[in-house]
Amino acid sequence: MDAGNQSRGSAGLVWYLFGFRFLALMLGLFLTNLNTPDASPHLVTLPSIFPGMGPAGGPQGPLWIVTAFLFFYHFCAAIYAFRCSEKKFYVYLLIFSDLVTGLITNVFLGSAYMLLGFVLPALEAALFLGNSAFLFAVLLPGFIYGVLVAGEMVSITSTSVNLHIDLAQEGAAKKVVLKYCVDMLKYVVMVGVMLLWIFKTAVGLEEEIAETKRIAQEEKNMIIEDSQNDKKHIQGLSNALTEKENEGDDLKNKLKESKEELEKMYKKFHEQKNQATAQTELYKEKEKEMTLIFEKRLKEGEKDVEGIKKKLAKIQALLDASMELNKSLNPEEAYMSIVEHLLKIIPAQTCILFMLESMEGQPEIFAEVAYSPYSDFFRNFSLRLGEGLPGWVAEKQKPVKIDSGSVLIDGAELQTLLTYEKSALVAPILYEEEILGVLYLGRPDNYAFTIENLEFVVSFANIAAVTLQNAQLFQKTIAGGMYDDITGLYNAIYFNERFSEEIKRSQRYEALLSLTLIDIDNFTRINEEYGTESGDKLLKEVAEIIKAHTRETDVVARIQSDEFAVLLLQSDKSSAVLISERIRMAFEMRSMARAKKSKIHSSLSIGVANFPVDAKNKEDLIAKVEEALQQAKNKGGNNTSYPSG
């Protein structure tokens, strides 16, 4: 835990240090009897080079200045402790200042101020910086104070002996010796308590190290377990591929047997033909008949051979596609790879990959990748389960083939997505009987697809399901380092990587991409007036509203303290502005309702820019959207702005 987070959870301990500081100061003043001449001689050790400052003799005028200075310094330091905890540099400055001031006070006024010079910096290090800093703050200055205490104890012992000799003649030796024994005991108890405290802190630090190791080992075991599960999935796929290879070998053997059978039939035909030639004209008609039969069987055999070759080609194409699709674990790359490989095998005018998503709690299928001359029609295109041809296939989990614009199945009339297309193939993407998405192929001609094409698309969808499932599992595995701790949104690191990928994809496929920056107005003032807890609640509220008004395919992240960013995939500027306005107005309505209860009122400033309309590369797009956000702030906040033109 860093210093900032620790201090926010330790306000009570800061007040404890406040009281400790002044109790220790009062104790030091009490032990030195407010620096008056009546103080014990071994507790007040002002050097003789400062005449008039010591209690043992000389004028005492400047002592009230020293006392007032101590009170003033410790009052300022106590107030400073409440505000310095947000940055480690200021914590270091406070500890160093208390350490130096305490050391000077201890040297000039005596060890009665050791609590201020030694214990106080150690407590501040433990509170703001943790046990490791505490040990450092104890051990390093402890050596200096140990030397001072040892010297003072030697001084006390020497003084006690001298006083014993002098006072023995006056009959007061017992009283003085008893007093100095008590003083010696105070130092022993103080040093003992310090040693016990150091030992307890060292034990606590060792326990923290052991707990950290235990957590690291548990995380390592979880990663190993996930890797083993992934290995099982890959092994299952390998076994499936092996089975397909075995089926191919069986088909090859059948082809070989068919050829051998054809050769035997050909030989038999020639034998019968030779026998018929030696006979009369009576057998000529029979010869012709047998010739026709043989030719028919030969054609059938050739058709069987062609069918076997097609099946082999289909199996080989599926094997090749499976190998290629499983090379990538990135979902977006997997989407594009599925469409590209399917179009290579079965050419079509339109090829769409629909993926199942949840929009405002309702399952829908969204056109994730659309290859079509009418691709603009499918931008931001989605259907509910059971709606339209793809929605029906997703709900019923059954493939459909359309040959002339529409087909009637179970009382439902299903039509192609485009009126310009008459033929369509639609297959569900299923993984362990769970729907992941839908594949759609369309052509403008009637009866453009065969039943073999449909069977192939179904087999291809099964392979694509494994690819998509692996990509989703991989994304879940790495998701631990992708999210913001407070809002649960993506963090800035993941957003930057994803932003670069989407820019490249938009450049490659000439797809639209909109970027939105959202800033909370007066967020710093809210944190200062109502505390960081209220600020965190406000951040979570903004995150919920943004997620409620964007799609699951959009990328939403918290990139700075009070700034959010949204990548709206396949979205033009007008759609992005409309979505941004919905977010702003939804937050404004909730803020008005909140202000009636807690008096915390805020608003959102939003900047919107589009690629490639407003910029031709990533850097220009960032500059444009930041310029738009600044325009919104300059208008007084609670505004959505975008680059002109």
Side-chain angles (χ1 to χ4, degrees):
M1 181 182 295
D2 60 22
N5 292 337
Q6 187 174 5
S7 65
R8 284 195 292 269
S10 307
L13 292 179
V14 178
W15 278 106
Y16 169 79
L17 285 182
F18 186 96
F20 179 86
R21 182 186 295 272
F22 284 97
L23 285 176
L25 178 60
M26 296 302 297
L27 178 61
L29 292 172
F30 173 78
L31 291 177
T32 58
N33 201 13
L34 297 177
N35 297 318
T36 64
D38 297 329
S40 299
H42 64 281
L43 290 178
V44 181
T45 59
L46 288 172
S48 60
I49 61 174
F50 291 90
M53 294 293 288
Q60 303 299 316
L63 289 179
W64 69 272
I65 299 177
V66 176
T67 302
F69 170 78
L70 289 176
F71 270 107
F72 177 77
Y73 167 78
H74 286 289
F75 177 79
C76 294
I79 298 301
Y80 182 74
F82 283 95
R83 298 182 176 274
C84 74
S85 59
E86 293 298 329
K87 293 187 178 180
K88 287 186 177 181
F89 171 79
Y90 297 130
V91 175
Y92 293 148
L93 184 61
L94 175 65
I95 294 174
F96 178 78
S97 176
D98 282 339
L99 187 61
V100 173
T101 304
L103 180 61
I104 295 173
T105 306
N106 191 78
V107 170
F108 284 92
L109 297 182
S111 59
Y113 294 90
M114 184 178 293
L115 289 175
L116 289 174
F118 179 44
V119 179
L120 179 61
L123 284 175
E124 290 171 341
L127 174 60
F128 295 122
L129 303 177
N131 288 336
S132 299
F134 164 72
L135 287 178
F136 181 82
V138 169
L139 295 177
L140 181 60
F143 175 77
I144 300 174
Y145 282 99
V147 173
L148 295 176
V149 171
E152 194 165 5
M153 291 177 69
V154 171
S155 175
I156 291 171
T157 304
S158 176
T159 303
S160 299
V161 172
N162 294 333
L163 290 176
H164 179 270
I165 294 173
D166 296 334
L167 297 176
Q169 299 173 359
E170 299 178 5
K174 291 183 180 181
K175 182 177 180 181
V176 173
V177 171
L178 179 60
K179 182 178 184 303
Y180 287 112
C181 288
V182 171
D183 293 334
M184 292 282 289
L185 182 60
K186 287 194 298 182
Y187 286 111
V188 171
V189 171
M190 183 179 298
V191 173
V193 171
M194 291 300 103
L195 292 176
L196 288 176
W197 191 10
I198 294 173
F199 176 76
K200 179 180 180 300
T201 305
V203 171
L205 182 60
E206 184 67 24
E207 291 176 351
E208 290 180 5
I209 295 173
E211 179 66 14
T212 302
K213 290 182 178 179
R214 183 187 67 79
I215 294 173
Q217 184 62 37
E218 290 179 354
E219 293 179 350
K220 181 179 179 182
N221 293 337
M222 291 177 63
I223 293 174
I224 293 174
E225 183 179 352
D226 292 339
S227 300
Q228 291 176 349
N229 292 334
D230 292 341
K231 184 177 180 181
K232 291 180 181 179
H233 284 296
I234 294 173
Q235 185 62 40
L237 180 61
S238 177
N239 293 337
L241 293 176
T242 302
E243 292 178 0
K244 295 295 183 181
E245 290 177 354
N246 293 335
E247 291 179 3
D249 292 337
D250 292 340
L251 291 174
K252 289 180 180 179
N253 293 332
K254 290 181 180 180
L255 178 61
K256 183 178 179 181
E257 293 175 358
S258 298
K259 289 182 178 179
E260 292 176 353
E261 184 178 354
L262 287 174
E263 290 177 356
K264 291 179 181 179
M265 291 176 61
Y266 190 73
K267 291 179 180 179
K268 184 177 180 180
F269 164 73
H270 278 287
E271 291 176 358
Q272 293 177 352
K273 184 177 180 181
N274 292 333
Q275 293 176 2
T277 303
Q279 296 179 2
T280 61
E281 292 293 333
L282 182 62
Y283 294 98
K284 288 183 179 180
E285 294 294 331
K286 187 175 183 180
E287 180 182 353
K288 292 179 180 180
E289 182 180 353
M290 292 183 66
T291 301
L292 294 174
I293 293 174
F294 171 74
E295 290 176 351
K296 181 179 179 181
R297 290 183 178 180
L298 184 61
K299 290 180 180 180
E300 292 176 352
E302 290 176 349
K303 289 182 179 180
D304 292 340
V305 171
E306 290 297 326
I308 293 172
K309 288 182 178 179
K310 290 181 180 180
K311 289 182 179 179
L312 287 174
K314 173 184 175 183
I315 293 173
Q316 187 62 45
L318 289 173
L319 290 174
D320 294 340
S322 177
M323 297 296 291
E324 290 296 324
L325 293 180
N326 285 283
K327 287 182 179 179
S328 174
L329 292 177
N330 182 283
E332 285 72 21
E333 293 180 0
Y335 299 157
M336 297 302 302
S337 182
I338 288 171
V339 173
E340 289 175 354
H341 280 83
L342 184 57
L343 285 174
K344 287 180 181 178
I345 301 170
I346 303 179
Q349 175 178 269
T350 298
C351 182
I352 304 173
L353 171 62
F354 290 91
M355 293 300 297
L356 184 67
E357 298 180 359
S358 178
M359 297 295 290
E360 299 181 356
Q362 297 296 325
E364 295 185 1
I365 55 173
F366 177 75
E368 194 68 49
V369 179
Y371 174 85
S372 173
Y374 311 101
S375 57
D376 290 340
F377 175 75
F378 295 106
R379 185 172 291 117
N380 301 324
F381 184 80
S382 63
L383 295 169
R384 294 188 299 272
L385 294 186
E387 181 183 6
L389 176 58
W392 188 93
V393 171
E395 182 181 47
K396 302 297 183 181
Q397 299 184 5
K398 295 179 180 180
V400 172
K401 175 175 175 286
I402 296 179
D403 296 320
S404 57
S406 64
V407 66
L408 187 64
I409 302 178
D410 297 335
E413 184 178 3
L414 305 177
Q415 299 178 343
T416 57
L417 287 178
L418 297 170
T419 56
Y420 308 103
E421 295 178 344
K422 301 301 180 182
S423 298
L425 295 178
V426 191
I429 302 176
L430 300 172
Y431 185 83
E432 296 181 354
E433 298 183 357
E434 181 180 353
I435 186 70
L436 299 180
V438 174
L439 281 173
Y440 177 93
L441 291 174
R443 288 182 182 173
D445 303 327
N446 291 321
Y447 297 93
F449 296 109
T450 64
I451 191 65
E452 288 79 9
N453 293 146
L454 180 61
E455 293 174 353
F456 181 86
V457 173
V458 172
S459 300
F460 185 86
N462 293 332
I463 294 176
V466 176
T467 299
L468 295 174
Q469 183 68 12
N470 288 339
Q472 292 176 2
L473 289 175
F474 178 76
Q475 290 298 106
K476 291 179 180 179
T477 301
I478 65 173
M482 295 162 49
Y483 297 104
D484 176 65
D485 293 334
I486 297 177
T487 63
L489 302 177
Y490 292 124
N491 57 28
I493 296 176
Y494 174 83
F495 182 82
N496 287 332
E497 294 178 354
R498 184 68 180 277
F499 189 15
S500 298
E501 293 177 2
E502 295 300 335
I503 285 290
K504 293 178 182 178
R505 185 172 291 106
S506 296
Q507 291 173 336
R508 180 180 179 185
Y509 298 102
E510 298 182 357
L512 294 175
L513 175 66
S514 293
L515 173 62
T516 298
L517 287 185
I518 302 173
D519 185 86
I520 303 177
D521 299 327
N522 303 320
F523 182 77
T524 303
R525 180 182 59 79
I526 292 174
N527 264 343
E528 292 175 352
E529 292 184 5
Y530 301 98
T532 56
E533 183 177 357
S534 297
D536 291 346
K537 290 182 179 179
L538 194 62
L539 291 173
K540 293 177 182 179
E541 183 176 314
V542 175
E544 292 174 357
I545 292 174
I546 296 175
K547 291 292 289 183
H549 290 81
T550 55
R551 303 164 299 181
E552 288 188 356
T553 54
D554 296 331
V555 183
V556 183
R558 179 189 176 207
I559 59 175
Q560 290 186 20
S561 173
D562 60 337
E563 189 168 285
F564 299 80
V566 183
L567 279 179
L568 299 170
L569 308 183
Q570 297 183 354
S571 176
D572 56 17
K573 186 191 294 186
S574 60
S575 298
V577 171
L578 179 60
I579 293 173
S580 300
E581 273 297 280
R582 290 175 179 173
I583 293 172
R584 184 188 64 79
M585 289 188 292
F587 181 79
E588 183 178 9
M589 294 298 293
R590 189 177 296 189
S591 182
M592 292 172 62
R594 185 192 336 101
K596 296 179 180 179
K597 300 179 180 179
S598 62
K599 297 183 180 179
I600 299 177
H601 184 272
S602 184
S603 58
L604 299 180
S605 293
I606 305 177
V608 180
N610 181 267
F611 177 89
V613 175
D614 298 319
K616 301 303 180 183
N617 54 53
K618 177 182 176 181
E619 290 73 20
D620 290 344
L621 184 60
I622 293 175
K624 287 292 185 181
V625 77
E626 288 179 346
E627 178 184 345
L629 178 60
Q630 189 59 46
Q631 291 177 5
K633 291 182 178 180
N634 293 340
K635 295 177 181 178
N638 196 20
N639 188 271
T640 299
S641 296
Y642 50 91
S644 60

